[in-house]
């Protein structure tokens, strides 16, 4: 299976279990790896035969900016389901970064990574 990756999609969301997170929001970053067969697109040099990653990026940002959820796990699942709706995408790895998570000790990042497939 071939891979198309989008790294560092950035959007502001209001996800989290704490009232401050819901009220003020924070930046989330998303990395995606889409699994699909790119041979038909390559053979015909045809965008219609592969995934349009620009559209995927817009849809993922809309999910992050959309309806708030408590858990990053839930956000990652919603993003995965949006990606799998694209014809040809057989699997997706989603990594959601929450670099401003409300943690009381120094840290660089918090991530949740999931892999989902049509099967």
């Amino acid at each position: 299976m071939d891979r198309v990756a989008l790294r560092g999609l950035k959007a502001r969301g209001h996800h989290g279990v704490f009232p401050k997170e819901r009220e003020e929001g924070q930046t989330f970053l998303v990395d995606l790896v889409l699994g699909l067969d790119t041979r038909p697109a390559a053979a015909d040099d045809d965008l219609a035969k592969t995934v349009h990653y620009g559209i995927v990026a817009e849809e993922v940002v809309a999910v992050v900016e959309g309806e708030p959820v408590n858990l990053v796990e839930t956000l990652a699942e919603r993003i995965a389901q949006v990606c799998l709706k694209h014809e040809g995408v057989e699997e997706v790895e989603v990594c959601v970064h929450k670099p401003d998570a409300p943690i009381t000790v120094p840290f660089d990042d918090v991530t949740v990574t999931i892999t989902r497939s049509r099967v």
Side-chain angles (χ1 to χ4, degrees):
M1 189 163 311
D2 303 318
R3 304 276 183 242
V4 174
L6 291 91
R7 307 250 187 240
L9 296 173
K10 189 183 292 190
R12 189 160 187 84
H14 293 265
H15 312 289
V17 296
F18 298 113
K20 183 177 179 180
E21 293 178 289
R22 291 295 186 106
E23 293 165 11
E24 295 179 11
Q26 59 192 292
T27 298
F28 292 84
L29 294 116
V30 178
D31 300 326
L32 301 173
V33 180
L34 307 170
L36 64 150
D37 184 357
T38 63
R39 288 175 292 191
D44 294 337
D45 200 24
D46 187 352
L47 176 60
K49 294 183 178 180
T50 188
V51 64
H52 191 310
Y53 52 78
I55 291 173
V56 172
E58 291 171 359
E59 291 173 352
V60 168
V61 166
V63 171
V64 176
E65 293 175 343
E67 179 185 352
V69 295
N70 289 331
L71 301 178
V72 177
E73 293 85 344
T74 305
L75 182 60
E77 184 67 34
R78 287 183 178 182
I79 291 168
Q81 294 311 311
V82 163
C83 294
L84 289 171
K85 288 182 181 178
H86 287 266
E87 186 176 339
V89 175
E90 295 296 323
E91 69 179 31
V92 61
E93 180 182 281
V94 177
C95 180
V96 177
H97 301 255
K98 190 176 179 180
D100 298 320
I103 297 175
T104 60
V105 298
F107 73 102
D108 288 331
D109 199 5
V110 171
T111 65
V112 170
T113 302
I114 65 170
T115 302
R116 298 292 182 265
S117 65
R118 289 184 184 269
V119 180

